[in-house]
Amino acid sequence: MTITDIQLLPMADHVRGKRSPVTCHFKCGNACLGPECNTSSNPAFREIASAALSRRALLGLGAAGAVGIALAAATPTGAAVAAPGGGASGAPGGLLFDAISPVPKIVDDFTVPAGYTWAPIIRWGDPLFSSVPALDFDNQTPEAQAGQFGYNCDYLDIIADRSGRTGVLVNNHEYVNPGIMFPPTSDTAELDRRAAIFKAAHGFSVVELRRSKLGRPWRYLVDGRRNRRITADTVFELTGPAAGTDLVKTAEDGEGRWVKGTLGNCAGGTTPWGTVLSGEENFDGYFAWAADTAGQKRYRATPSAKSTYTFERIDPRFDAHDAGFVNEPNRFGWIVEIDPEDPSSTPRKHTAMGRFKHEGANVIIAEDGRAVAYMGDDQTNDYLYKFVSKGTYDPKNTPVARRKNLGLLSEGDLYVAKFAGNSPAAEITGTGALPADGLFDGTGQWIPLTQDGESVIPGMTTQEVLVFTRLAADTVGATKMDRPEDVQPNPKTGKVYVALTNNSSRTLATIDEANPVTGNRNGHIIELTETAGQSGTAFGWSILLLCGNPAVDQNTYFAGFPKELVSPISCPDNVAFDSEGNLWISTDGAPSKIGFNDGLFKVPLEGPERGRVQQFLSVPREAETCGPVIHDKEGMVFVAVQHPGEEGTVGAPTSYFPDYVPSHRPDTGLVAAPRPSVVQVWRA
Ligand code: FEO
Ligand code: CA
Ligand code: CA
């Protein structure tokens, strides 16, 4: 992609998008442009219960910144300057740091607080095996990429073994950006070869780690016992009620049981039984779509001759015009589960957890022993979901218990959230001004889409509810949310935190107390309290944060904490917790909203500091902060830096992250690209 190409991208004028036009194009297919895919009038359940839905017609089964902000806060690269209300923060035993100043969006640096230092653990193209070469921009091959760390790292966990000196890094790779991976070409054979490289750059990396002692930086191990690459060609097993049904059968898999690859993997979570979950998010961009059915349109898929990523050049699975593969798209959009301890294990896709643009899934064990997973569907005006397992968790560390726990997400019930506010509608003005009772808050219900594993939606079978989950949720009065991203229960309290990243299309006519800001630029965080037990169907909720830059936006809210003492924050995306139960938020989209690079922020949830947002780190220009992991007891923080310098090209990079060495390419005189990387931060 050239600069001219970028200027021609649909989102180049940033009319409604939250990101750079390049991210909009590759990551989500310009999801903010064009008609909304949730056009449901979404009536209450009792209104539709008697309505006869034409199932076949419904599912199409006939076919087999406010950037003008002053940048006075500019810091020299890498330097940390005390931010508004800066000062040591952190509960006893927690991570102590002085908040950094927000970093202007032109700065190509990774910034940490005074007293901390950083280094990458692993970068795009680093080999996991000695049989694989290091990244060579001029001679990259699909075979090399399939053994190297993939592109655009997102969900991350760093799981230390008992000794603390060995461990494993688990990371997924959401999408690729052809324009900054390789120079432009129109050569057909080269384009085919690149499509194969791009397939291999997706999926997961599992990498063995070593270090000298606690609190010291990790290094990754080539040929480590647990090292593994999962790509767009690795075989997954489908589990749950939709497995083996007609909706997921293809010419290659007549049984509907085995799917090659995982795509668009965004956020995720590590389960209490040690596996890793990840959400298949923007799967629509991977297919050349044929028919224009309601089921497809609801996922924002429209007929097209080719896909964003061009896999169909070399693999007919991605061309839904091919009669054998019309159902291939139904095999993506799931929660996947991998076992990082066993590199020979078959990863799985869980149909019981529903199919939508899964941001991620995070599990907590309920009082009754069942596993409860919270999940966001990241599209404008889509929904918040919860899955409750049928079986119960066995905490024993035995092979029998492990087998049982590995089956928990294959069987259970799926619910969607309906919110109700407790303030008069007239007091929800769209400006973000608090209603008279002082809170955006209320109650809510988890409305079942299945019960005892079977559909409760009139006119839809169980497999239809699970494969076309958005259509099912439309019929029960689910609340249209401002793009639900990561949703995570706090292990200390069981309260659930929902990141709603933004929603430019929220209007005065569609605001509600849970989504109370018109044209919601900066997003918000909802704190949800399960009032009938973690696996129950009733909850209370209140808005914890209305994000933004309080210096220029009066309609921000930080749980009542003084606004002049917080760091500006916009577009919350991933959330995590430290050992004290403080919330950590990483952002994606702040540059185009408030003019600062994305970052990682800490927010205490209890006591007098509740709502005090403090910025811990900033990623380099054009990057998103992903997968935060907070090991506060040893003074360490880990993030995945996704799409650094994404608006540059191979010839004209805008970022040199993470090596900051402009290495000239001897053959072309061009300069090497920035490399998405996992970064560790530790106390110096
Ligand atoms: Fe991949 Fe919803 O962010
Ligand atoms: Ca209220
Ligand atoms: Ca995300």
Side-chain angles (χ1 to χ4, degrees):
M1 181 169 296
T2 65
I3 294 288
T4 314
D5 291 335
I6 292 170
Q7 285 160 350
L8 291 174
L9 288 176
M11 294 299 285
D13 61 356
H14 263 288
V15 177
R16 297 171 71 197
K18 71 166 186 171
R19 302 168 163 136
S20 99
V22 181
T23 308
C24 289
H25 178 70
F26 286 114
K27 185 166 194 150
C28 60
N30 304 305
C32 304
L33 281 185
E36 305 266 320
C37 59
N38 187 355
T39 55
S40 66
S41 59
N42 203 349
F45 181 65
R46 64 181 175 279
E47 295 171 67
I48 62 96
S50 59
L53 294 175
S54 166
R55 200 178 82 213
R56 296 193 76 78
L58 188 67
L59 304 179
L61 296 180
V67 182
I69 186 166
L71 295 182
T75 60
T77 59
V81 177
S89 147
L95 200 69
L96 298 168
F97 65 95
D98 291 327
I100 66 166
S101 289
V103 177
K105 67 176 183 174
I106 52 171
V107 175
D108 179 32
D109 209 347
F110 190 96
T111 308
V112 296
Y116 288 80
T117 191
W118 70 275
I121 299 179
I122 191 165
R123 307 161 301 173
W124 166 48
D126 282 335
L128 273 55
F129 307 97
S130 54
S131 57
V132 171
L135 180 63
D136 175 348
F137 290 99
D138 296 316
N139 299 292
Q140 178 70 326
T141 65
E143 296 73 26
Q145 180 63 81
Q148 297 167 339
F149 193 67
Y151 203 76
N152 271 350
C153 36
D154 199 308
Y155 178 71
L156 172 69
D157 205 356
I158 304 284
I159 306 168
D161 301 328
R162 199 178 301 239
S163 72
R165 296 192 305 276
T166 65
V168 67
L169 176 158
V170 187
N171 185 233
N172 61 23
H173 305 291
E174 185 172 5
Y175 70 106
V176 293
N177 185 334
I180 51 171
M181 295 169 80
F182 304 110
T185 182
S186 54
D187 179 78
T188 304
E190 176 62 12
L191 288 170
D192 288 352
R193 204 171 64 94
R194 287 191 189 172
I197 293 170
F198 298 148
K199 282 177 76 185
H202 281 74
F204 280 84
S205 293
V206 182
V207 188
E208 192 87 29
L209 299 174
R210 292 287 183 276
R211 63 178 173 181
S212 56
K213 60 178 180 180
L214 282 178
R216 299 303 301 159
W218 295 97
R219 64 182 172 82
Y220 88 89
L221 206 62
V222 174
D223 293 331
R225 176 184 70 80
R226 289 173 283 193
N227 286 13
R228 182 180 196 185
R229 272 307 317 282
I230 288 171
T231 72
D233 285 310
T234 303
V235 172
F236 282 67
E237 179 185 4
L238 275 176
T239 80
T245 66
D246 287 347
L247 289 174
V248 294
K249 290 177 182 169
T250 68
E252 210 172 54
D253 175 24
E255 299 294 311
R257 299 278 176 189
W258 308 98
V259 181
K260 278 203 261 179
T262 186
L263 298 168
N265 296 81
C266 197
T270 301
T271 64
W273 51 95
T275 59
V276 170
L277 307 178
S278 161
E280 295 184 321
E281 192 188 12
N282 293 302
F283 62 87
D284 52 318
Y286 293 88
F287 294 93
W289 294 83
D292 199 13
T293 65
Q296 289 180 6
K297 277 196 278 202
R298 192 60 182 80
Y299 293 90
R300 220 180 167 280
T302 50
S304 54
K306 60 180 191 172
S307 73
T308 305
Y309 299 98
T310 72
F311 293 0
E312 73 276 11
R313 295 181 68 92
I314 55 167
D315 189 339
R317 290 193 292 138
F318 296 95
D319 188 354
H321 301 89
D322 185 322
F325 292 103
V326 288
N327 285 334
E328 187 71 11
N330 294 350
R331 293 144 65 83
F332 295 84
W334 302 105
I335 291 295
V336 303
E337 181 175 20
I338 72 158
D339 183 356
E341 277 305 310
D342 180 3
S344 68
S345 58
T346 302
R348 294 174 301 153
K349 300 193 180 198
H350 293 303
T351 68
M353 301 174 84
R355 174 173 168 268
F356 40 90
K357 291 189 183 176
H358 276 287
E359 176 73 14
N362 284 281
V363 170
I364 188 168
I365 304 302
E367 303 83 342
D368 58 14
R370 291 188 286 172
V372 178
Y374 294 91
M375 306 179 287
D377 182 357
D378 180 9
Q379 192 113 56
T380 300
N381 297 322
D382 260 293
Y383 308 133
L384 173 67
Y385 295 85
K386 137 169 160 176
F387 170 83
V388 180
S389 70
K390 180 180 180 195
T392 54
Y393 171 65
D394 187 338
K396 290 193 288 294
N397 187 19
T398 63
V400 172
R402 186 162 177 75
R403 260 199 307 282
K404 183 181 166 198
N405 294 335
L406 286 171
L408 284 175
L409 304 180
S410 304
E411 209 177 352
D413 285 320
L414 187 59
Y415 300 81
V416 67
K418 180 175 186 173
F419 288 76
N422 63 10
S423 291
E427 293 181 10
I428 311 301
T429 61
T431 65
L434 293 171
D437 69 356
L439 285 175
F440 294 110
D441 64 342
T443 57
Q445 280 175 276
W446 292 107
I447 304 176
L449 303 178
T450 65
Q451 204 157 39
D452 299 326
E454 303 207 342
S455 168
V456 293
I457 305 302
M460 294 181 81
T461 64
T462 303
Q463 54 266 36
E464 287 162 357
V465 166
L466 298 177
V467 174
F468 298 105
T469 303
R470 283 182 172 180
L471 289 176
D474 287 343
T475 69
V476 299
T479 301
K480 295 178 177 178
M481 307 298 289
D482 287 349
R483 293 190 49 202
E485 301 254 20
D486 209 357
V487 185
Q488 198 155 332
N490 186 338
K492 280 268 185 194
T493 64
K495 291 183 181 179
V496 179
Y497 293 81
V498 185
L500 297 148
T501 197
N502 59 52
N503 181 357
S504 54
S505 72
R506 182 69 65 180
T507 65
L508 207 49
T510 61
I511 51 170
D512 56 49
E513 196 164 344
N515 301 276
V517 178
T518 55
N520 187 3
R521 286 179 62 80
N522 295 302
H524 59 292
I525 301 270
I526 290 179
E527 182 181 67
L528 191 151
T529 306
E530 298 278 21
T531 50
Q534 206 88 39
S535 58
T537 58
F539 61 85
W541 62 273
S542 69
I543 289 183
L544 176 77
L545 305 178
L546 289 179
C547 298
N549 181 353
V552 296
D553 181 357
Q554 292 313 299
N555 299 312
T556 51
Y557 173 72
F558 301 91
F561 197 82
K563 295 181 181 188
E564 62 278 16
L565 300 179
V566 305
S567 301
I569 181 172
S570 180
C571 303
D573 189 347
N574 300 154
V575 294
F577 299 91
D578 62 25
S579 70
E580 305 291 328
N582 297 304
L583 177 68
W584 291 69
I585 304 168
S586 66
T587 67
D588 172 20
S592 67
K593 304 298 190 199
I594 57 172
F596 298 120
N597 282 340
D598 280 308
L600 177 65
F601 303 79
K602 175 188 173 183
V603 192
L605 296 171
E606 310 290 342
E609 298 225 321
R610 176 175 160 88
R612 182 185 182 186
V613 174
Q614 289 191 293
Q615 184 167 4
F616 180 78
L617 64 77
S618 167
V619 293
R621 61 183 292 171
E622 297 152 39
E624 140 184 18
T625 316
C626 294
V629 179
I630 316 299
H631 289 175
D632 50 299
K633 284 185 171 160
E634 52 174 317
M636 298 191 80
V637 168
F638 307 84
V639 291
V641 178
Q642 192 183 133
H643 57 75
E646 68 171 343
E647 292 183 58
T649 63
V650 171
T654 55
S655 172
Y656 293 99
F657 175 82
D659 302 320
Y660 295 104
V661 178
S663 48
H664 288 274
R665 294 158 54 105
D667 58 333
T668 60
L670 298 176
V671 178
R675 296 166 77 167
S677 304
V678 171
V679 167
Q680 53 191 336
V681 180
W682 69 98
R683 267 192 209 115

